[in-house]
């Protein structure tokens, strides 16, 4: 039995779950998410979602925990939301936003302009003496993670000085420089 898959997903107040043949729709105060579910049966019992697999085949065992985790992230997303914070480490590295348009100065000859999806809310914090921080908030965990990874990919942190775009709280593996 899948240890993750057998745990039920609790549904908080204010969240409605609609289950139609192979498709689960979760609605909450922050938004609405839909997920295709194939090979696994989803039932709603006493304010909880219970996932059951029809057989012990390798495919069903793999999907059991996967769909439980996806549905849990959907329920958590539409009720609380997800936030990712990125920190810009480096001299002259700046970030600013006008609505859904994020402008990054990362040491290239030109600024990088990124138009974000309307589901992702962006906020930039620039304090004197501290590194600029980009806060991404959304109800879709996969989307906010993808956008954060795309921003990080523009200038990944390097191991010698640690310059680049990194997640807040991320521990970088540092290397010693050339020995004299």
């Amino acid at each position: 039995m899948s240890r993750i898959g057998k745990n039920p997903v609790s549904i908080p107040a204010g969240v409605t779950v609609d289950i139609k043949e192979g498709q689960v729709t979760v609605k909450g105060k922050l938004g609405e998410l839909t997920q295709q579910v194939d090979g696994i049966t989803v039932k709603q019992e006493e304010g909880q979602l219970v996932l059951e697999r029809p057989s012990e085949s390798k495919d069903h065992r793999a999907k059991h925990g996967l769909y439980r985790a996806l549905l849990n992230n959907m329920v958590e997303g539409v009720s609380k939301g997800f936030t990712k914070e990125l920190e810009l480490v480096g001299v002259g590295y700046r970030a600013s936003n006008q609505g859904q348009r994020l402008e990054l100065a990362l040491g290239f000859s030109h600024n990088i302009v990124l138009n974000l999806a309307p589901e992702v809310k962006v906020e930039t914090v620039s304090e004197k003496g501290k590194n600029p921080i980009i806060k991404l908030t959304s109800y879709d965990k996969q989307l906010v993670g993808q956008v954060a990874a795309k921003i990080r990919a523009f200038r990944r942190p390097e191991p010698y000085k640690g310059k680049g775009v990194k997640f807040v709280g991320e521990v970088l593996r540092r290397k010693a420089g050339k020995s004299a």
Side-chain angles (χ1 to χ4, degrees), residues 32-164:
E32 177 181 343
L33 291 168
T34 305
Q35 176 66 46
Q36 285 292 128
V37 179
D38 57 315
I40 303 290
T41 57
V42 182
K43 295 181 203 160
Q44 190 170 354
E45 300 171 354
E46 305 147 12
Q48 292 183 328
L49 283 177
V50 179
L51 286 84
E52 293 171 352
R53 59 180 179 230
S55 72
E56 290 294 315
S57 72
K58 190 169 185 172
D59 188 46
H60 288 146
R61 287 198 321 260
K63 288 181 178 177
H64 193 199
L66 168 75
Y67 285 128
R68 191 264 176 209
L70 290 175
L71 292 176
N72 187 50
N73 288 340
M74 288 166 60
V75 169
E76 194 178 327
V78 296
S79 59
K80 296 181 212 158
F82 294 101
T83 304
K84 288 260 186 202
E85 292 186 354
L86 295 143
E87 185 178 6
L88 278 60
V89 182
V91 177
Y93 288 10
R94 288 187 309 277
S96 62
N97 71 306
Q98 292 87 33
Q100 292 301 98
R101 193 165 170 260
L102 181 66
E103 192 168 331
L104 301 167
L106 298 175
F108 297 115
S109 60
H110 59 284
N111 288 351
I112 298 167
V113 177
L114 192 65
N115 292 317
L116 300 175
E119 295 90 15
V120 179
K121 302 286 174 264
V122 65
E123 180 189 344
T124 54
V125 180
S126 298
E127 291 181 30
K128 192 167 173 66
K130 291 187 178 173
N131 294 326
I133 291 176
I134 303 167
K135 290 182 182 177
L136 301 168
T137 310
S138 178
Y139 56 86
D140 190 345
K141 187 174 187 177
Q142 188 265 334
L143 183 65
V144 77
Q146 190 174 1
V147 170
K150 187 174 184 179
I151 293 169
R152 186 179 186 268
F154 288 129
R155 182 75 92 175
R156 297 185 62 131
E158 51 95 21
Y160 299 101
K161 288 185 176 178
K163 287 170 53 172

